[in-house]
Structure formats: structure tokens, C-alpha cells
Amino acid sequence: MKYLKYKCLLAIILGCSLSGCFDLTEEVFDRVDSGVYYQDENSVKSAVATIYSTGATSYAEYFWYLQEFPADQVTWRVWNGGQWGYDEGEKFVFSIQNWTPDAKIIRSAWEKAWTTIGLCNTLLADLGELAPADLKMTEESMKAYEGEVRTLRAWAYYNIFEIWGGALPLNIEPATVDGDLPPTADPDFDVSSKKIYNFIATELDACYEGMAENQVNRMNKAVNRMIKARLLLNAEVFIKENHYSECAELCRKIISGEYGKYELAKDYRDIYSINNTECPEVIMAFACEDGKLNMGWMRMTFYPYNIWDYFGGTYSQSGWNCTCLVPSYDNQGTVNELGGTQGATCFLDAPYSDKLGAVYERFDDRDIRKKNYTYDKKNGYSGIFLKGTVKANYGKGEALKADADRDGQDLAYVDQVGTFMNLGRNLETVMSPRWGETNSGLRLVKYPVYPTSAGIDFQNIDEVEFRLSEVYYMLAECEMRAGQADKAKDLVNAVRQRYFTAGDWADVKDRPGRGFTAFDMDWMLSQWGVEFLNEGRRRRTDLRRFDKFTQGQWWFFGRASDDGGLYPAKRDRKYEWYPLPASALQVNQGLIQNPNYK
């Protein structure tokens, strides 16, 4: 891929301003000259705002596909074997872990990945040519902006490092007019991984001291340290080195307030609601606003086309209708009229006894989140799921109607995936996502969707990228790996307690939950999934770090067949890293494909 030339002014023209931290009006210039454009601090703010907007939109969609669909919690469900929602297999191949270097989503992710990094490179080069006095700024302010942009670049690099590992180039200079991306950092994948790892770590350590604290819509000092903690936590995946003790030490400093004052939210809804920038748990969130940076459309992936009859909204956003939670039950038993069966077996129970997947049943029945999403002005919203018959006006009205294979029937979501009407293929005990129906799989409402009558636009809720609970879970895992299971349990429970009444918590806190007999590593991985469900991180390096991404079994793997073949219980390890897109290799001879895809 030709490396796009991003000079500051073009970035401003193409970018969108952020709400909250930055409230800027777009200005169009026809010259590319940092000395002309950068006159004061506002011009720097404008350039930085462009990077935030580009970064958020670049990573929101395609990287979410790559992190969630191949993992054990979210799937792209097809209706009737491809008559509806197959989408030429573009997303389906990720749910079955069977992609190639020609995959369109991999190519799109690659092409978008370098935009944010390119903007950061150019802005840092521009600022390097200017003195603080030129911008009517203090040296401290200039240093803070540089630290912010360097941390943005490190964040962007960390995201792509999780995807492509040592196949990446190290691209830290502004592009030339006709310049390509540099070659892969080193011909040896492991050596290249080490170089990129060291770059991210060194960059983060070099710039956090002068950064701002407690500024939620900006990269701040605590964010910088959290990225470093993520790097250390996943060092065994990245560079085959154990750095858990260093990660634990850094997490303790973050929790103690050394890099900003934060605390766990007592009410989980504060993290995702319209005023989440005021939540003490939120360390950094991308500022969203309809008409500027709008990420509301990515919150519609789980919903049917007529979902506004349930939510009571009049928004232009439409449901996608193909995404659902991985099912908790097989298809044994007597078929119900509206789908699903009576007498099905949960994948958590014998003979399956899965430690992965079965999302809904991972939640304790007493967990206040484990009910259908509803809203009223007095009490706000509650619940995060859609299960069973979906009725208008938060369950108070008539049943919504299904479409496609169940057109005209009542819409009733079941915690199973299968052809319950035997359309396209007879119902089998366990079927792959290719063989769902329009009502197969439960739906998730992680961020609230407010009715029009509430006067709150759900599209204006800021998208949380870093929160303190992640630091608690990182520290808990480090303690677990050090043999301190009790300390790990206490750290996780410090977060979990808010999901239960006081009476229920007294019983829940010392029970590992259904499917587990001890507070062990399997339990720890499960808790990661429950707390950060659908937040774009499940493959990330959670499953990778526990060696479960290709080697773990859930749902249809090892149990369902298609095209005459059985989906393997364990997949090829080559899928643990993504391949460079074939299109990138064609235009840049210096890039070296991930070894297992050659």
C-alpha cells in the first residue's frame, strides 16, 4: 500500500473536531506549511483533535471485528446457511477462524491502521521545528502536547502489534511524497517483535512525565501507564518473556493514584451512560457527538431492523441484525414454536463442561445486569440483554415481528443457534453460526439506548477506552500467576461487588460460579470476559495470553460440521497472528508475511 502523505493542514481539512475537550470549527487552508499554520495553542489543539477523531473511527469497526468475531463471546450469525447475512463470508470467516491474506476486513484494517500513526508522525515532526514561543506556549505545555501525541502513536502501534506482531514495519517518520511504508522491522519475526515491543515501551517511558492528569477525553498520564501495563502483561505473547511482576508493580502505582486520582464506580451504569466523563472509573474515553465523532452506529450490530419500536427512538441508525452472543445451550430437546428447544444442555455442564463461551450463563442469576434492557426516566436504565419475546416499549407493548425466515412471527431471542424450522438444513444438536435463524442468539445492550422522550441522544455517549477496573484485573491476573489466588479473587471481587445486592454478595463472593470448582486461571479468564464483554478486547490478547484462542474449545468447535468436514476442536496456530493483506505485499516488497501464512 502506498503510504499516504499526511501534512498537518490536510489532516485538519479531513478531520472532525472532538466534543468535550476540543470544540473547534473546521478551517480550510490550501497550503501545507507548519510555520504558516501553527500560530498558537488553538492550532495545535485542532491538529491533535484530528488525530483523536481519525484514531477512534479507524479502530472502532475493523479492529472490533478482528478481536471479537473469532473469539468465544460474539459471533456473526448467518440465517439459513447463507441466504441471509452471509455477506460473501466477509465476516463469517472470522467467526469460524478460517481467514486468508485476501480477507477484505484484514485489508481494510491495515489500510486504516496507518492513518493515525501517519498523522502522529507528521504532527510530531512539525512541532519539532517550532519553539514554544512561536506558538505563544510554555515549554511545559509544548511538552504535554508532545507526550499526548507520542502516547496516541504508541496506543495505535499497540493495537496493530496485537494483530500483526513482528510482520509490522517501524514507521515513525513523516511520509515523503512518493514514499511507501518502510519494510518489516526485521526479517526474523521474533526479532522484529522485540524491536517493536522495545519501541512502544521506550516511547511510553520517555513521554509520560509531562502529560496531563485526569483529563478524560485526552491521552493522559494514567493512560500512558496503562498501555505500558498492557504491554508488560502480554510480553509472553509478544516477545516470549515473562514481565508479570513488573506489570503488577505498575498496576499498584496506578491504583494508588500516582498517575491521577481514580476509583471504581459503585454503579456500573455510570461507566456507559451519557455523563460517563464524570465517572471516577473512566480514565480515558473518545469524545462522541452526533454530527462530529459519531460511533453510535457500531452499537447497533446486535439489533433487528425494527428495534426502535422497543427502544422508543426515532434515530436514523439501523440495526445490523447479524451479530449475537455465542449461545449457552445446544439444540437437544423438543422444538418450541418460536425457536429454541425445551430440554437443551448448557455448554457449561456435562458432557461439554466448557470453560469458554456460554456467555449469558457465565453471569450469575443474581447479577443485576442479567435481565432484559429497560429504561424509565425515574430509575434510568437497567439490564444489558435482550432475551425471549421482544415487545415494544421495553416489553410493555405488542411483540415485535421477526423478518426473513420467520417473517411475520413474534420475535423471540433464544440462547441457542440452529435451524429450528429445518430450513436449509435439518436441526442438529450443535450447529455452526452458518445455521442460525433470525431469532438465534441473545443480543447485548452494553451502552444504553435512550428513547427520544428522554431527550438524551445515545450517539453522544463517549466511547470508553481505558478504565480502572482493567488495572484491577491486570493486577489480579499477575497475582494469580504468582500463586496468590486469594489476592486475585479479592481484586476481582472489588469490581464484581457492584453487580449484586448486599445480601446476594455475601453468598456470591466466595463462589467461583457455574462451571468452575476453584478460583484458578480458567476462572480468571472467564472473569475478564464477563467484565469486558464486547469491549473489543476478547481475542486481543486475553485468549492469546491464556493459550485458548486456537487451542480452546467452545460451542461448535469439535462438534459441528459443514461442507462434509468437522470444525476442529483445536485450530491451526497460524491463526494466532493475522496475515498481512495480500494487497500490501504486492506494493511493498520490503514487507515480510507472517511466517505461517507463507
PDB file of all heavy atoms in Angstrom, residues 83-114:
ATOM      1  N   GLN A  83     -28.426 -17.644   2.990  1.00  0.00           N
ATOM      2  CA  GLN A  83     -29.443 -16.900   2.247  1.00  0.00           C
ATOM      3  C   GLN A  83     -29.575 -15.474   2.782  1.00  0.00           C
ATOM      4  O   GLN A  83     -29.933 -14.563   2.049  1.00  0.00           O
ATOM      5  CB  GLN A  83     -30.793 -17.618   2.331  1.00  0.00           C
ATOM      6  CG  GLN A  83     -30.806 -18.977   1.634  1.00  0.00           C
ATOM      7  CD  GLN A  83     -32.182 -19.624   1.682  1.00  0.00           C
ATOM      8  OE1 GLN A  83     -33.197 -18.953   1.552  1.00  0.00           O
ATOM      9  NE2 GLN A  83     -32.209 -20.936   1.889  1.00  0.00           N
ATOM     10  N   TRP A  84     -29.328 -15.326   4.074  1.00  0.00           N
ATOM     11  CA  TRP A  84     -29.379 -14.002   4.696  1.00  0.00           C
ATOM     12  C   TRP A  84     -28.114 -13.799   5.528  1.00  0.00           C
ATOM     13  O   TRP A  84     -27.725 -14.664   6.293  1.00  0.00           O
ATOM     14  CB  TRP A  84     -30.593 -13.868   5.620  1.00  0.00           C
ATOM     15  CG  TRP A  84     -31.909 -13.942   4.922  1.00  0.00           C
ATOM     16  CD1 TRP A  84     -32.557 -15.072   4.500  1.00  0.00           C
ATOM     17  CD2 TRP A  84     -32.742 -12.855   4.557  1.00  0.00           C
ATOM     18  NE1 TRP A  84     -33.733 -14.752   3.906  1.00  0.00           N
ATOM     19  CE2 TRP A  84     -33.883 -13.393   3.920  1.00  0.00           C
ATOM     20  CE3 TRP A  84     -32.642 -11.463   4.705  1.00  0.00           C
ATOM     21  CZ2 TRP A  84     -34.908 -12.599   3.437  1.00  0.00           C
ATOM     22  CZ3 TRP A  84     -33.668 -10.682   4.225  1.00  0.00           C
ATOM     23  CH2 TRP A  84     -34.788 -11.240   3.597  1.00  0.00           C
ATOM     24  N   GLY A  85     -27.474 -12.663   5.361  1.00  0.00           N
ATOM     25  CA  GLY A  85     -26.390 -12.277   6.251  1.00  0.00           C
ATOM     26  C   GLY A  85     -25.044 -12.900   5.978  1.00  0.00           C
ATOM     27  O   GLY A  85     -24.100 -12.652   6.721  1.00  0.00           O
ATOM     28  N   TYR A  86     -24.923 -13.727   4.933  1.00  0.00           N
ATOM     29  CA  TYR A  86     -23.624 -14.360   4.706  1.00  0.00           C
ATOM     30  C   TYR A  86     -22.570 -13.338   4.297  1.00  0.00           C
ATOM     31  O   TYR A  86     -21.411 -13.435   4.687  1.00  0.00           O
ATOM     32  CB  TYR A  86     -23.740 -15.438   3.625  1.00  0.00           C
ATOM     33  CG  TYR A  86     -22.473 -16.247   3.474  1.00  0.00           C
ATOM     34  CD1 TYR A  86     -22.033 -17.073   4.503  1.00  0.00           C
ATOM     35  CD2 TYR A  86     -21.717 -16.178   2.314  1.00  0.00           C
ATOM     36  CE1 TYR A  86     -20.875 -17.813   4.376  1.00  0.00           C
ATOM     37  CE2 TYR A  86     -20.552 -16.914   2.183  1.00  0.00           C
ATOM     38  CZ  TYR A  86     -20.137 -17.730   3.213  1.00  0.00           C
ATOM     39  OH  TYR A  86     -18.984 -18.451   3.078  1.00  0.00           O
ATOM     40  N   ASP A  87     -23.001 -12.338   3.509  1.00  0.00           N
ATOM     41  CA  ASP A  87     -22.105 -11.221   3.197  1.00  0.00           C
ATOM     42  C   ASP A  87     -20.833 -11.690   2.499  1.00  0.00           C
ATOM     43  O   ASP A  87     -19.737 -11.195   2.787  1.00  0.00           O
ATOM     44  CB  ASP A  87     -21.745 -10.497   4.503  1.00  0.00           C
ATOM     45  CG  ASP A  87     -21.637  -8.992   4.315  1.00  0.00           C
ATOM     46  OD1 ASP A  87     -22.041  -8.504   3.256  1.00  0.00           O
ATOM     47  OD2 ASP A  87     -21.146  -8.326   5.232  1.00  0.00           O
ATOM     48  N   GLU A  88     -20.988 -12.686   1.628  1.00  0.00           N
ATOM     49  CA  GLU A  88     -19.857 -13.267   0.911  1.00  0.00           C
ATOM     50  C   GLU A  88     -18.778 -13.811   1.858  1.00  0.00           C
ATOM     51  O   GLU A  88     -17.600 -13.897   1.493  1.00  0.00           O
ATOM     52  CB  GLU A  88     -19.241 -12.249  -0.056  1.00  0.00           C
ATOM     53  CG  GLU A  88     -20.203 -11.783  -1.150  1.00  0.00           C
ATOM     54  CD  GLU A  88     -19.561 -10.811  -2.117  1.00  0.00           C
ATOM     55  OE1 GLU A  88     -18.504 -10.249  -1.781  1.00  0.00           O
ATOM     56  OE2 GLU A  88     -20.103 -10.631  -3.208  1.00  0.00           O
ATOM     57  N   GLY A  89     -19.194 -14.168   3.053  1.00  0.00           N
ATOM     58  CA  GLY A  89     -18.261 -14.728   4.016  1.00  0.00           C
ATOM     59  C   GLY A  89     -17.306 -13.725   4.614  1.00  0.00           C
ATOM     60  O   GLY A  89     -16.398 -14.096   5.375  1.00  0.00           O
ATOM     61  N   GLU A  90     -17.508 -12.436   4.335  1.00  0.00           N
ATOM     62  CA  GLU A  90     -16.554 -11.415   4.744  1.00  0.00           C
ATOM     63  C   GLU A  90     -16.346 -11.396   6.255  1.00  0.00           C
ATOM     64  O   GLU A  90     -15.222 -11.258   6.731  1.00  0.00           O
ATOM     65  CB  GLU A  90     -17.047 -10.049   4.263  1.00  0.00           C
ATOM     66  CG  GLU A  90     -16.087  -8.909   4.516  1.00  0.00           C
ATOM     67  CD  GLU A  90     -16.557  -7.605   3.904  1.00  0.00           C
ATOM     68  OE1 GLU A  90     -17.294  -7.643   2.902  1.00  0.00           O
ATOM     69  OE2 GLU A  90     -16.181  -6.551   4.432  1.00  0.00           O
ATOM     70  N   LYS A  91     -17.418 -11.543   7.013  1.00  0.00           N
ATOM     71  CA  LYS A  91     -17.312 -11.553   8.479  1.00  0.00           C
ATOM     72  C   LYS A  91     -17.405 -12.967   9.030  1.00  0.00           C
ATOM     73  O   LYS A  91     -16.827 -13.271  10.072  1.00  0.00           O
ATOM     74  CB  LYS A  91     -18.396 -10.667   9.079  1.00  0.00           C
ATOM     75  CG  LYS A  91     -18.322  -9.215   8.615  1.00  0.00           C
ATOM     76  CD  LYS A  91     -19.434  -8.376   9.228  1.00  0.00           C
ATOM     77  CE  LYS A  91     -19.381  -6.942   8.725  1.00  0.00           C
ATOM     78  NZ  LYS A  91     -19.721  -6.827   7.286  1.00  0.00           N
ATOM     79  N   PHE A  92     -18.134 -13.820   8.336  1.00  0.00           N
ATOM     80  CA  PHE A  92     -18.325 -15.192   8.792  1.00  0.00           C
ATOM     81  C   PHE A  92     -16.998 -15.937   8.947  1.00  0.00           C
ATOM     82  O   PHE A  92     -16.821 -16.724   9.884  1.00  0.00           O
ATOM     83  CB  PHE A  92     -19.240 -15.931   7.807  1.00  0.00           C
ATOM     84  CG  PHE A  92     -19.457 -17.370   8.140  1.00  0.00           C
ATOM     85  CD1 PHE A  92     -20.280 -17.738   9.191  1.00  0.00           C
ATOM     86  CD2 PHE A  92     -18.849 -18.373   7.401  1.00  0.00           C
ATOM     87  CE1 PHE A  92     -20.482 -19.076   9.506  1.00  0.00           C
ATOM     88  CE2 PHE A  92     -19.048 -19.706   7.698  1.00  0.00           C
ATOM     89  CZ  PHE A  92     -19.873 -20.060   8.752  1.00  0.00           C
ATOM     90  N   VAL A  93     -16.035 -15.691   8.055  1.00  0.00           N
ATOM     91  CA  VAL A  93     -14.760 -16.423   8.130  1.00  0.00           C
ATOM     92  C   VAL A  93     -14.035 -16.159   9.436  1.00  0.00           C
ATOM     93  O   VAL A  93     -13.234 -16.995   9.881  1.00  0.00           O
ATOM     94  CB  VAL A  93     -13.834 -16.090   6.937  1.00  0.00           C
ATOM     95  CG1 VAL A  93     -14.452 -16.555   5.638  1.00  0.00           C
ATOM     96  CG2 VAL A  93     -13.500 -14.603   6.880  1.00  0.00           C
ATOM     97  N   PHE A  94     -14.316 -15.022  10.070  1.00  0.00           N
ATOM     98  CA  PHE A  94     -13.655 -14.734  11.342  1.00  0.00           C
ATOM     99  C   PHE A  94     -14.290 -15.538  12.475  1.00  0.00           C
ATOM    100  O   PHE A  94     -13.600 -16.006  13.378  1.00  0.00           O
ATOM    101  CB  PHE A  94     -13.683 -13.236  11.621  1.00  0.00           C
ATOM    102  CG  PHE A  94     -12.832 -12.465  10.658  1.00  0.00           C
ATOM    103  CD1 PHE A  94     -13.394 -11.879   9.540  1.00  0.00           C
ATOM    104  CD2 PHE A  94     -11.464 -12.393  10.823  1.00  0.00           C
ATOM    105  CE1 PHE A  94     -12.610 -11.208   8.611  1.00  0.00           C
ATOM    106  CE2 PHE A  94     -10.665 -11.730   9.911  1.00  0.00           C
ATOM    107  CZ  PHE A  94     -11.238 -11.139   8.793  1.00  0.00           C
ATOM    108  N   SER A  95     -15.606 -15.712  12.416  1.00  0.00           N
ATOM    109  CA  SER A  95     -16.271 -16.485  13.458  1.00  0.00           C
ATOM    110  C   SER A  95     -15.876 -17.952  13.436  1.00  0.00           C
ATOM    111  O   SER A  95     -15.980 -18.636  14.453  1.00  0.00           O
ATOM    112  CB  SER A  95     -17.795 -16.351  13.330  1.00  0.00           C
ATOM    113  OG  SER A  95     -18.231 -15.078  13.744  1.00  0.00           O
ATOM    114  N   ILE A  96     -15.423 -18.459  12.288  1.00  0.00           N
ATOM    115  CA  ILE A  96     -15.002 -19.860  12.220  1.00  0.00           C
ATOM    116  C   ILE A  96     -13.484 -19.993  12.134  1.00  0.00           C
ATOM    117  O   ILE A  96     -12.977 -21.096  11.915  1.00  0.00           O
ATOM    118  CB  ILE A  96     -15.668 -20.580  11.022  1.00  0.00           C
ATOM    119  CG1 ILE A  96     -15.240 -19.959   9.689  1.00  0.00           C
ATOM    120  CG2 ILE A  96     -17.183 -20.575  11.173  1.00  0.00           C
ATOM    121  CD1 ILE A  96     -15.701 -20.745   8.474  1.00  0.00           C
ATOM    122  N   GLN A  97     -12.746 -18.896  12.283  1.00  0.00           N
ATOM    123  CA  GLN A  97     -11.280 -18.890  12.235  1.00  0.00           C
ATOM    124  C   GLN A  97     -10.767 -19.561  10.951  1.00  0.00           C
ATOM    125  O   GLN A  97     -10.081 -20.592  10.982  1.00  0.00           O
ATOM    126  CB  GLN A  97     -10.694 -19.569  13.469  1.00  0.00           C
ATOM    127  CG  GLN A  97     -10.963 -18.821  14.765  1.00  0.00           C
ATOM    128  CD  GLN A  97     -10.157 -19.334  15.944  1.00  0.00           C
ATOM    129  OE1 GLN A  97      -9.306 -20.193  15.813  1.00  0.00           O
ATOM    130  NE2 GLN A  97     -10.438 -18.786  17.116  1.00  0.00           N
ATOM    131  N   ASN A  98     -11.105 -18.939   9.835  1.00  0.00           N
ATOM    132  CA  ASN A  98     -10.705 -19.514   8.554  1.00  0.00           C
ATOM    133  C   ASN A  98     -10.441 -18.419   7.525  1.00  0.00           C
ATOM    134  O   ASN A  98     -10.898 -18.497   6.394  1.00  0.00           O
ATOM    135  CB  ASN A  98     -11.798 -20.462   8.042  1.00  0.00           C
ATOM    136  CG  ASN A  98     -11.326 -21.285   6.854  1.00  0.00           C
ATOM    137  OD1 ASN A  98     -10.153 -21.611   6.724  1.00  0.00           O
ATOM    138  ND2 ASN A  98     -12.262 -21.607   5.966  1.00  0.00           N
ATOM    139  N   TRP A  99      -9.666 -17.402   7.909  1.00  0.00           N
ATOM    140  CA  TRP A  99      -9.402 -16.289   7.007  1.00  0.00           C
ATOM    141  C   TRP A  99      -8.116 -16.511   6.220  1.00  0.00           C
ATOM    142  O   TRP A  99      -7.319 -17.396   6.529  1.00  0.00           O
ATOM    143  CB  TRP A  99      -9.319 -14.986   7.800  1.00  0.00           C
ATOM    144  CG  TRP A  99      -8.357 -15.058   8.948  1.00  0.00           C
ATOM    145  CD1 TRP A  99      -7.005 -14.903   8.909  1.00  0.00           C
ATOM    146  CD2 TRP A  99      -8.678 -15.319  10.319  1.00  0.00           C
ATOM    147  NE1 TRP A  99      -6.454 -15.045  10.162  1.00  0.00           N
ATOM    148  CE2 TRP A  99      -7.458 -15.302  11.046  1.00  0.00           C
ATOM    149  CE3 TRP A  99      -9.871 -15.562  11.008  1.00  0.00           C
ATOM    150  CZ2 TRP A  99      -7.411 -15.516  12.422  1.00  0.00           C
ATOM    151  CZ3 TRP A  99      -9.818 -15.770  12.380  1.00  0.00           C
ATOM    152  CH2 TRP A  99      -8.596 -15.749  13.072  1.00  0.00           C
ATOM    153  N   THR A 100      -7.919 -15.673   5.222  1.00  0.00           N
ATOM    154  CA  THR A 100      -6.719 -15.724   4.390  1.00  0.00           C
ATOM    155  C   THR A 100      -6.185 -14.302   4.217  1.00  0.00           C
ATOM    156  O   THR A 100      -6.866 -13.332   4.581  1.00  0.00           O
ATOM    157  CB  THR A 100      -7.032 -16.307   3.000  1.00  0.00           C
ATOM    158  OG1 THR A 100      -7.807 -15.343   2.255  1.00  0.00           O
ATOM    159  CG2 THR A 100      -7.801 -17.620   3.111  1.00  0.00           C
ATOM    160  N   PRO A 101      -5.005 -14.144   3.642  1.00  0.00           N
ATOM    161  CA  PRO A 101      -4.470 -12.797   3.392  1.00  0.00           C
ATOM    162  C   PRO A 101      -5.323 -11.967   2.440  1.00  0.00           C
ATOM    163  O   PRO A 101      -5.115 -10.760   2.326  1.00  0.00           O
ATOM    164  CB  PRO A 101      -3.080 -13.074   2.789  1.00  0.00           C
ATOM    165  CG  PRO A 101      -2.694 -14.402   3.324  1.00  0.00           C
ATOM    166  CD  PRO A 101      -3.976 -15.190   3.371  1.00  0.00           C
ATOM    167  N   ASP A 102      -6.283 -12.586   1.767  1.00  0.00           N
ATOM    168  CA  ASP A 102      -7.160 -11.856   0.851  1.00  0.00           C
ATOM    169  C   ASP A 102      -8.421 -11.321   1.525  1.00  0.00           C
ATOM    170  O   ASP A 102      -9.245 -10.694   0.863  1.00  0.00           O
ATOM    171  CB  ASP A 102      -7.573 -12.756  -0.318  1.00  0.00           C
ATOM    172  CG  ASP A 102      -6.388 -13.107  -1.213  1.00  0.00           C
ATOM    173  OD1 ASP A 102      -5.625 -12.180  -1.558  1.00  0.00           O
ATOM    174  OD2 ASP A 102      -6.230 -14.293  -1.544  1.00  0.00           O
ATOM    175  N   ALA A 103      -8.583 -11.580   2.814  1.00  0.00           N
ATOM    176  CA  ALA A 103      -9.791 -11.141   3.521  1.00  0.00           C
ATOM    177  C   ALA A 103      -9.939  -9.621   3.450  1.00  0.00           C
ATOM    178  O   ALA A 103      -8.996  -8.878   3.739  1.00  0.00           O
ATOM    179  CB  ALA A 103      -9.745 -11.599   4.975  1.00  0.00           C
ATOM    180  N   LYS A 104     -11.135  -9.169   3.083  1.00  0.00           N
ATOM    181  CA  LYS A 104     -11.374  -7.743   2.900  1.00  0.00           C
ATOM    182  C   LYS A 104     -11.217  -6.970   4.211  1.00  0.00           C
ATOM    183  O   LYS A 104     -10.709  -5.841   4.222  1.00  0.00           O
ATOM    184  CB  LYS A 104     -12.780  -7.520   2.339  1.00  0.00           C
ATOM    185  CG  LYS A 104     -12.968  -8.024   0.927  1.00  0.00           C
ATOM    186  CD  LYS A 104     -14.394  -7.755   0.440  1.00  0.00           C
ATOM    187  CE  LYS A 104     -14.598  -8.267  -0.971  1.00  0.00           C
ATOM    188  NZ  LYS A 104     -16.002  -8.038  -1.428  1.00  0.00           N
ATOM    189  N   ILE A 105     -11.657  -7.546   5.314  1.00  0.00           N
ATOM    190  CA  ILE A 105     -11.590  -6.845   6.597  1.00  0.00           C
ATOM    191  C   ILE A 105     -10.141  -6.673   7.039  1.00  0.00           C
ATOM    192  O   ILE A 105      -9.761  -5.625   7.586  1.00  0.00           O
ATOM    193  CB  ILE A 105     -12.416  -7.587   7.665  1.00  0.00           C
ATOM    194  CG1 ILE A 105     -13.909  -7.404   7.362  1.00  0.00           C
ATOM    195  CG2 ILE A 105     -12.090  -7.095   9.070  1.00  0.00           C
ATOM    196  CD1 ILE A 105     -14.830  -8.174   8.275  1.00  0.00           C
ATOM    197  N   ILE A 106      -9.308  -7.678   6.804  1.00  0.00           N
ATOM    198  CA  ILE A 106      -7.889  -7.546   7.142  1.00  0.00           C
ATOM    199  C   ILE A 106      -7.262  -6.430   6.312  1.00  0.00           C
ATOM    200  O   ILE A 106      -6.485  -5.616   6.827  1.00  0.00           O
ATOM    201  CB  ILE A 106      -7.164  -8.881   6.925  1.00  0.00           C
ATOM    202  CG1 ILE A 106      -7.656  -9.919   7.936  1.00  0.00           C
ATOM    203  CG2 ILE A 106      -5.648  -8.704   7.042  1.00  0.00           C
ATOM    204  CD1 ILE A 106      -7.084 -11.306   7.733  1.00  0.00           C
ATOM    205  N   ARG A 107      -7.605  -6.391   5.043  1.00  0.00           N
ATOM    206  CA  ARG A 107      -7.066  -5.328   4.182  1.00  0.00           C
ATOM    207  C   ARG A 107      -7.535  -3.951   4.651  1.00  0.00           C
ATOM    208  O   ARG A 107      -6.731  -3.014   4.743  1.00  0.00           O
ATOM    209  CB  ARG A 107      -7.514  -5.553   2.736  1.00  0.00           C
ATOM    210  CG  ARG A 107      -6.916  -4.545   1.745  1.00  0.00           C
ATOM    211  CD  ARG A 107      -7.534  -4.715   0.369  1.00  0.00           C
ATOM    212  NE  ARG A 107      -8.931  -4.308   0.377  1.00  0.00           N
ATOM    213  CZ  ARG A 107      -9.818  -4.657  -0.559  1.00  0.00           C
ATOM    214  NH1 ARG A 107      -9.449  -5.449  -1.552  1.00  0.00           N
ATOM    215  NH2 ARG A 107     -11.058  -4.230  -0.491  1.00  0.00           N
ATOM    216  N   SER A 108      -8.810  -3.828   4.995  1.00  0.00           N
ATOM    217  CA  SER A 108      -9.332  -2.535   5.439  1.00  0.00           C
ATOM    218  C   SER A 108      -8.706  -2.107   6.754  1.00  0.00           C
ATOM    219  O   SER A 108      -8.379  -0.929   6.945  1.00  0.00           O
ATOM    220  CB  SER A 108     -10.862  -2.608   5.590  1.00  0.00           C
ATOM    221  OG  SER A 108     -11.481  -2.845   4.347  1.00  0.00           O
ATOM    222  N   ALA A 109      -8.529  -3.057   7.662  1.00  0.00           N
ATOM    223  CA  ALA A 109      -7.897  -2.730   8.946  1.00  0.00           C
ATOM    224  C   ALA A 109      -6.468  -2.234   8.725  1.00  0.00           C
ATOM    225  O   ALA A 109      -6.022  -1.266   9.362  1.00  0.00           O
ATOM    226  CB  ALA A 109      -7.899  -3.958   9.856  1.00  0.00           C
ATOM    227  N   TRP A 110      -5.754  -2.894   7.846  1.00  0.00           N
ATOM    228  CA  TRP A 110      -4.374  -2.500   7.545  1.00  0.00           C
ATOM    229  C   TRP A 110      -4.326  -1.088   6.970  1.00  0.00           C
ATOM    230  O   TRP A 110      -3.526  -0.248   7.391  1.00  0.00           O
ATOM    231  CB  TRP A 110      -3.767  -3.499   6.571  1.00  0.00           C
ATOM    232  CG  TRP A 110      -2.409  -3.145   6.051  1.00  0.00           C
ATOM    233  CD1 TRP A 110      -2.107  -2.459   4.915  1.00  0.00           C
ATOM    234  CD2 TRP A 110      -1.151  -3.440   6.675  1.00  0.00           C
ATOM    235  NE1 TRP A 110      -0.748  -2.311   4.766  1.00  0.00           N
ATOM    236  CE2 TRP A 110      -0.139  -2.915   5.849  1.00  0.00           C
ATOM    237  CE3 TRP A 110      -0.785  -4.107   7.842  1.00  0.00           C
ATOM    238  CZ2 TRP A 110       1.207  -3.038   6.150  1.00  0.00           C
ATOM    239  CZ3 TRP A 110       0.557  -4.234   8.144  1.00  0.00           C
ATOM    240  CH2 TRP A 110       1.534  -3.707   7.316  1.00  0.00           C
ATOM    241  N   GLU A 111      -5.171  -0.818   6.015  1.00  0.00           N
ATOM    242  CA  GLU A 111      -5.144   0.482   5.350  1.00  0.00           C
ATOM    243  C   GLU A 111      -5.508   1.609   6.307  1.00  0.00           C
ATOM    244  O   GLU A 111      -4.944   2.709   6.228  1.00  0.00           O
ATOM    245  CB  GLU A 111      -6.094   0.460   4.157  1.00  0.00           C
ATOM    246  CG  GLU A 111      -5.601  -0.439   3.033  1.00  0.00           C
ATOM    247  CD  GLU A 111      -6.619  -0.620   1.920  1.00  0.00           C
ATOM    248  OE1 GLU A 111      -7.770  -0.150   2.092  1.00  0.00           O
ATOM    249  OE2 GLU A 111      -6.275  -1.228   0.891  1.00  0.00           O
ATOM    250  N   LYS A 112      -6.433   1.347   7.219  1.00  0.00           N
ATOM    251  CA  LYS A 112      -6.839   2.386   8.161  1.00  0.00           C
ATOM    252  C   LYS A 112      -5.859   2.537   9.323  1.00  0.00           C
ATOM    253  O   LYS A 112      -5.759   3.597   9.931  1.00  0.00           O
ATOM    254  CB  LYS A 112      -8.241   2.073   8.699  1.00  0.00           C
ATOM    255  CG  LYS A 112      -9.336   2.221   7.651  1.00  0.00           C
ATOM    256  CD  LYS A 112     -10.696   1.860   8.224  1.00  0.00           C
ATOM    257  CE  LYS A 112     -11.784   2.062   7.183  1.00  0.00           C
ATOM    258  NZ  LYS A 112     -11.948   3.463   6.788  1.00  0.00           N
ATOM    259  N   ALA A 113      -5.130   1.460   9.609  1.00  0.00           N
ATOM    260  CA  ALA A 113      -4.251   1.463  10.775  1.00  0.00           C
ATOM    261  C   ALA A 113      -3.181   2.539  10.706  1.00  0.00           C
ATOM    262  O   ALA A 113      -2.800   3.125  11.722  1.00  0.00           O
ATOM    263  CB  ALA A 113      -3.593   0.095  10.940  1.00  0.00           C
ATOM    264  N   TRP A 114      -2.684   2.791   9.482  1.00  0.00           N
ATOM    265  CA  TRP A 114      -1.546   3.683   9.361  1.00  0.00           C
ATOM    266  C   TRP A 114      -1.939   5.154   9.331  1.00  0.00           C
ATOM    267  O   TRP A 114      -1.067   6.019   9.434  1.00  0.00           O
ATOM    268  CB  TRP A 114      -0.747   3.324   8.107  1.00  0.00           C
ATOM    269  CG  TRP A 114      -0.209   1.931   8.227  1.00  0.00           C
ATOM    270  CD1 TRP A 114      -0.661   0.814   7.608  1.00  0.00           C
ATOM    271  CD2 TRP A 114       0.844   1.505   9.092  1.00  0.00           C
ATOM    272  NE1 TRP A 114       0.051  -0.286   8.008  1.00  0.00           N
ATOM    273  CE2 TRP A 114       0.985   0.116   8.926  1.00  0.00           C
ATOM    274  CE3 TRP A 114       1.688   2.169  10.000  1.00  0.00           C
ATOM    275  CZ2 TRP A 114       1.934  -0.630   9.628  1.00  0.00           C
ATOM    276  CZ3 TRP A 114       2.632   1.420  10.688  1.00  0.00           C
ATOM    277  CH2 TRP A 114       2.749   0.052  10.502  1.00  0.00           C
TER     278      TRP A 114
END
